[in-house]
Amino acid sequence: MATVISHSLFTDFDIDLFKSGKHFRLYEKLGAHIISVDGVDGVYFAVWAPTAKSVSVVGDFNFWTFGEHQLEVRWDSSGIWEGFIPDVTKGSTYKYNIQSNNGGIITEKADPFAFYCEKPPHTASVVWGLDYQWKDSKWMKTRQDFNGLNKPFSVYEVHLGSWKRHIEGNKFLTYLEYAEDLVNYIKETGFTHVEFMPIMEYPYDPSWGYQLVGYFAPTSRFGNPQEFMFLVDKLHGANIGVILDWVPSHFPDDAHGLGFFDGSNLFEHPDRRKGYHPDWKSLVFNYGRNEVRSFLISNALFWLDYYHADALRVDAVASMLYLDYSRNEGEWEPNIYGGRENLDTISFLKEFNEAVYSNFEGVQTIAEESTSFPLVSRPTSIGGLGFGMKWMMGWMHDTLEYFQKETVYRKYHQNDLTFSMTYMFSENFMLPLSHDEVVYGKKSIVDRMPGDEWQKFANLRLLYGYMFMHPGTKLLFMGCEFGQTKEWNFEESLDWHLLKYPAHNGIKKLITDLNYLYKNQPALYEKQFSAEGFEWINYSDHQNAVIAFIRKGINVKEDVIVVCNFTQVVRENYRIGIPRKGKLIEIFNTDAIFYGGSGVSNSKKMIVEAVPYDGRDYSIEMILAPLSVSVFRIK
């Protein structure tokens, strides 16, 4: 048997933290670490496999021979197997060969803590280091100025495998190529943040990355870990925040993955009613097991620590919160109080958020949560889950449902638009138009719009204008910013050729200017999560399908007035109430010719009149362009 030297990176305190579910930097201990022991270079391996009978490391350095390099189990009942193997070097491929006590089952598993993985469809882990010379110190010191809840937060959601591909061979771009093309594009269009759909290693492309195996490894499809760090570095250098999709909700049962890891239900809940997800045919973490909690929270902190992520968007939170999620009667068991809430999950999410916010300054966590579960984005100190923001799925559903209707019928559905304001400030909401809305037969966003081609694009401009003026932060999936006409296909590039057509190029110009408007009008972000930042002027003119409201910031002189016309009828001499005297100046109009509109606008300064209207002492008449959003300032 080849030499395995007894060695440990764990202290007794580490083990106590691990067992109690409080060790949140396990990535410094478990996994494969390139070190020197007594002047000899090699790799220290450590893996958690408490029901294993034996664990050996197999790899290209021992011709994948079982038993050649056997690890030792620790004496402290932690279930950790460890050992130092001399002369193993960076780039070596390996797996853990695990013989279980449960019936002698032998499996080969990838390292749950591997920093790098072979390029799929290969499944081995790769010995790798995380050394990198970061150049984003200025960003890291000041990112609260870009990442705070009272700052503009406009997110460009990206699937790296299909944003753009090489024409020849339909090949992926690399992280280094994205560091040029993607960074420049986001900077040009003015988004404040990019959100990457999961970049952690995943085996199956059609999962879009939401079925993870390598939780600590950026996918090797596009390059190595340092090259992904370089991409993040370049984004920070352009003052663009980085949000990573994080998936603690479930994982696939691939043979080399976390499922049945050591011959037992190690990571997944042993009760299939809690440990199996019927929608995705995947396994669900055991959130009540201390060591699993340490694994997951360590993983969250890892991406904030080593990859300088600015936010984590947590996927499928609703599926985690409810014991009966996608389950029929008899397929789930109530909690100890007879309810449907998963108490272990609630406790875990609170601890996760507390760990994130207490360990890193200027970061955010964002929940994709589609139910009315209370206090998702409220502090744990008052009983909340502790997230910084929550996706506003109700707004997304109601708004798209409204916009799909022919304009002649919209007067009967005004409530679909105005209802969001009844609960808008119950959470810190982000308004998403995400990848889920442009797949599986839902059509692209522009293709959902009614009318002829001009009306479709006018409706799209209206939708985006309304979205950016509505309280809350914003998220837009790639391709939507130039009106991609077909559904998203993860196997090919976006249709960039469409930008040569005026209608599509006009949408891109519109989004660019909306981002600029959002960032440069404090009233649109300073109080975006507070009822003090919004005031209706008129929401009851359903007959004309018009709404008008005020967005308010700290300085009343910087307030903006927003008027939306949801039909193609030009409305002349349309009167609205105004809060004070002055001159009204139109600062933005989605119907501008520059964007592909008809050019109807209020081009001159309009004098506010002392004519009572809409319950106010002052009012003004204006012209409303067809299918448009007009934005005004009072001077």
Side-chain angles (χ1 to χ4, degrees):
M1 185 183 298
T3 302
V4 177
I5 299 173
S6 293
H7 188 77
S8 183
L9 296 182
F10 284 90
T11 65
D12 291 344
F13 184 56
D14 286 322
I15 297 301
D16 288 343
L17 287 175
F18 179 51
K19 287 181 177 180
S20 62
K22 302 297 183 182
H23 201 311
F24 299 152
R25 296 187 185 269
L26 285 176
Y27 48 88
E28 296 175 350
K29 308 292 180 175
L30 288 169
H33 297 271
I34 303 169
I35 61 171
S36 294
V37 175
D38 297 330
V40 178
D41 295 335
V43 174
Y44 165 79
F45 292 93
V47 62
W48 179 50
T51 66
K53 182 178 180 181
S54 69
V55 177
S56 62
V57 183
V58 295
D60 57 6
F61 47 85
N62 62 16
F63 303 101
W64 300 93
T65 304
F66 165 66
E68 186 78 7
H69 289 101
Q70 288 198 3
L71 302 180
E72 295 180 352
V73 66
R74 290 181 60 89
W75 56 270
D76 50 23
S77 73
S78 62
I80 293 172
W81 297 73
E82 60 185 353
F84 174 77
I85 305 178
D87 302 323
V88 177
T89 58
K90 178 179 177 180
S92 297
T93 55
Y94 70 99
K95 284 186 178 179
Y96 295 116
N97 186 293
I98 301 174
Q99 183 174 6
S100 173
N101 273 320
N102 297 340
I105 298 171
I106 299 177
T107 58
E108 283 192 358
K109 293 289 188 177
D111 188 347
F113 283 84
F115 296 145
Y116 193 28
C117 302
E118 282 190 303
K119 188 174 181 179
H122 301 293
T123 58
S125 303
V126 181
V127 173
W128 207 260
L130 295 176
D131 51 303
Y132 178 79
Q133 193 67 42
W134 286 91
K135 299 178 179 64
D136 65 348
S137 58
K138 181 180 178 182
W139 167 270
M140 296 297 283
K141 290 176 183 175
T142 62
R143 66 177 169 184
Q144 181 62 45
D145 296 335
F146 300 89
N147 219 35
L149 294 177
N150 61 343
K151 303 297 181 181
F153 213 96
S154 177
V155 181
Y156 187 54
E157 187 190 23
V158 170
H159 177 262
L160 275 178
S162 57
W163 182 74
K164 186 183 287 185
R165 293 196 180 193
H166 290 288
I167 296 175
E168 184 177 348
N170 196 34
K171 294 180 181 177
F172 293 135
L173 269 65
T174 66
Y175 290 130
L176 297 181
E177 289 171 321
Y178 278 116
E180 293 298 322
D181 291 7
L182 181 62
V183 172
N184 289 336
Y185 184 78
I186 296 174
K187 192 172 182 180
E188 175 193 350
T189 48
F191 290 94
T192 65
H193 292 72
V194 61
E195 178 181 320
F196 290 121
M197 292 168 65
I199 52 86
M200 301 82 177
E201 194 59 80
Y202 56 98
Y204 188 51
D205 282 0
S207 77
W208 311 335
Y210 289 100
Q211 300 256 6
L212 304 181
V213 168
Y215 269 76
F216 290 82
T219 178
S220 55
R221 287 167 174 82
F222 316 116
N224 65 41
Q226 280 74 18
E227 289 167 340
F228 181 62
M229 292 176 186
F230 180 75
L231 171 57
V232 174
D233 216 355
K234 291 286 283 187
L235 286 160
H236 285 170
N239 289 334
I240 298 166
V242 177
I243 305 169
L244 300 182
D245 269 13
W246 186 54
V247 191
S249 48
H250 65 120
F251 57 94
D253 61 359
D254 293 59
H256 67 291
L258 298 178
F260 211 60
F261 187 80
D262 62 350
S264 71
N265 300 118
L266 190 63
F267 290 93
E268 67 272 23
H269 199 287
D271 186 341
R272 291 280 283 187
R273 293 173 297 180
K274 297 179 181 178
Y276 179 75
H277 201 295
D279 284 355
W280 303 314
K281 308 295 187 290
S282 55
L283 304 175
V284 179
F285 286 104
N286 185 354
Y287 304 108
R289 186 166 190 170
N290 287 341
E291 297 90 343
V292 173
R293 292 165 77 108
S294 282
F295 169 81
L296 287 171
I297 296 176
S298 290
N299 183 243
L301 268 57
F302 171 77
W303 294 99
L304 299 168
D305 185 1
Y306 273 98
Y307 286 89
H308 290 198
D310 304 295
L312 298 173
R313 176 265 194 187
V314 183
D315 183 64
V317 173
S319 75
M320 301 167 65
L321 287 172
Y322 294 103
L323 296 165
D324 62 345
Y325 187 91
S326 287
R327 291 175 173 84
N328 299 317
E329 189 174 348
E331 296 177 345
W332 63 282
E333 182 182 38
N335 63 35
I336 58 174
Y337 303 109
R340 53 195 284 259
E341 297 81 12
N342 189 324
L343 302 181
D344 288 338
T345 292
I346 293 169
S347 170
F348 161 71
L349 289 174
K350 289 181 178 181
E351 190 168 28
F352 149 72
N353 279 309
E354 288 170 353
V356 167
Y357 284 106
S358 63
N359 280 278
F360 297 92
E361 292 186 6
V363 299
Q364 296 292 346
T365 61
I366 305 164
E368 188 220 2
E369 204 286 308
S370 55
T371 74
S372 58
F373 192 93
L375 305 177
V376 171
S377 58
R378 294 294 180 260
T380 58
S381 59
I382 61 169
L385 292 184
F387 285 93
M389 284 177 261
K390 168 182 171 173
W391 275 21
M392 196 175 187
M393 309 295 279
W395 171 88
M396 176 271 297
H397 177 271
D398 291 346
T399 300
L400 290 178
E401 189 74 18
Y402 177 88
F403 269 86
Q404 288 176 150
K405 290 179 169 58
E406 294 287 344
T407 56
V408 68
Y409 301 117
R410 288 180 177 175
K411 62 184 177 182
Y412 303 113
H413 299 277
Q414 188 101 325
N415 187 57
D416 288 350
L417 286 174
T418 59
F419 179 66
S420 63
M421 295 305 175
T422 65
Y423 65 96
M424 175 68 225
F425 304 108
S426 63
E427 300 276 5
N428 297 339
F429 279 120
M430 173 178 281
L431 313 182
L433 291 176
S434 73
H435 63 275
D436 281 327
E437 304 316 309
V438 291
V439 290
Y440 298 144
K442 294 180 182 178
K443 301 182 179 180
S444 67
I445 301 294
V446 68
D447 202 30
R448 294 195 201 189
M449 301 295 108
D452 58 24
E453 181 176 335
W454 189 92
Q455 290 181 8
K456 282 181 179 292
F457 280 90
N459 269 300
L460 188 64
R461 294 191 298 271
L462 169 59
L463 168 63
Y464 292 159
Y466 169 66
M467 173 185 181
F468 272 77
M469 296 306 105
H470 192 288
T473 53
K474 332 294 176 186
L475 179 139
L476 195 62
F477 183 56
M478 64 182 198
C480 295
E481 82 281 2
F482 61 81
Q484 172 139 328
T485 49
K486 67 181 183 184
E487 286 190 347
W488 169 53
N489 182 350
F490 72 92
E491 295 182 299
E492 61 185 38
S493 171
L494 298 178
D495 291 336
W496 294 105
H497 66 277
L498 292 176
L499 283 170
K500 67 183 180 182
Y501 299 107
H504 294 277
N505 196 37
I507 296 296
K508 181 189 170 190
K509 292 176 180 176
L510 175 90
I511 290 295
T512 301
D513 286 355
L514 280 170
N515 276 323
Y516 179 85
L517 187 71
Y518 180 34
K519 290 187 288 188
N520 287 278
Q521 296 296 328
L524 297 178
Y525 61 79
E526 286 179 337
K527 297 181 179 181
Q528 57 193 344
F529 299 127
S530 168
E532 295 177 355
F534 179 87
E535 183 179 334
W536 280 115
I537 293 175
N538 190 333
Y539 59 85
S540 60
D541 188 7
H542 56 86
Q543 195 64 37
N544 290 313
V546 173
I547 61 173
F549 54 86
I550 306 172
R551 292 296 310 279
K552 303 159 78 172
I554 296 172
N555 185 348
V556 67
K557 294 181 179 179
E558 294 179 333
D559 291 353
V560 298
I561 294 172
V562 181
V563 186
C564 306
N565 177 12
F566 293 98
T567 72
Q568 66 270 38
V569 178
V570 177
R571 306 208 179 273
E572 299 185 15
N573 304 318
Y574 191 88
R575 185 172 290 274
I576 65 168
I578 299 293
R580 63 180 187 273
K581 291 192 233 181
K583 296 178 180 178
L584 208 63
I585 301 174
E586 188 174 73
I587 60 173
F588 186 80
N589 189 326
T590 62
D591 190 51
I593 294 174
F594 184 67
Y595 308 132
S598 62
V600 175
S601 66
N602 297 276
S603 57
K604 298 179 181 179
K605 292 182 180 179
M606 302 173 289
I607 305 299
V608 175
E609 301 172 297
V611 176
Y613 206 76
D614 289 331
R616 301 173 187 276
D617 293 334
Y618 304 96
S619 63
I620 200 167
E621 284 189 346
M622 61 180 62
I623 185 169
L624 301 185
L627 296 170
S628 70
V629 174
S630 301
V631 185
F632 303 89
R633 286 278 302 274
I634 302 176
K635 295 289 187 180

